[in-house]
Amino acid sequence: MTPLDIFLIFTAGSILILTAVLVPTLLQLKRTYKKAEETLQVLERELVPMSKKITAGAAEVELLAASCTAKLEETDEAIRAVRRAGDTLLLTSQALKDSVRPVISGVGGITAGLQMFARVLLGGKK
């Protein structure tokens, strides 16, 4: 046996061992690639409708936000109107109280005077 024969035997053995290791590895890689491809196809099929639904949901949320903003503005306007009405009512009641108080005091004075007059008049007859 010459060194070339030993080298060839060693090379052939290495190739045989390398083939024995690489073939199952390559087959496993092929299966893994197919599974990954199938998974990507499934994801693609599911992601497209899901992204459409998410887009539709986002549009709906945007519409709801606009609607809520409009309702809040209407509510703010209503609150301002109620506040103005309350202020007007307060001013009106204060003005009414200020204008009626002297009349009530005058009526009370007249009533007291009439009662006193009636006592004196009736008391004088008894």
Side-chain angles (χ1 to χ4, degrees), residues 4-5 12 31 33 40 45 50 54 57 62-63 67 107 110:
L4 183 60
D5 290 338
R31 285 191 295 265
Y33 173 76
L40 286 175
R45 278 194 310 264
M50 187 183 302
I54 289 172
E62 188 175 334
L63 286 173
S67 174
V107 168
I110 292 173

Side-chain angles (χ1 to χ4, degrees), residues 2 4 7 21 51 53 59 77 80-81 87 93 104 110 126:
T2 65
L4 183 60
F7 177 73
V21 170
S51 66
K53 287 179 183 177
E77 185 59 37
R80 283 195 285 281
D87 291 343
S93 68
I104 291 175
I110 292 173
K126 286 184 179 178

Side-chain angles (χ1 to χ4, degrees), residues 29-47:
L29 279 174
K30 183 179 176 183
R31 285 191 295 265
T32 303
Y33 173 76
K34 282 186 179 181
K35 285 287 186 182
E37 188 175 10
E38 290 171 3
T39 303
L40 286 175
Q41 287 174 352
V42 168
L43 283 174
E44 185 178 338
R45 278 194 310 264
E46 291 182 9
L47 285 178

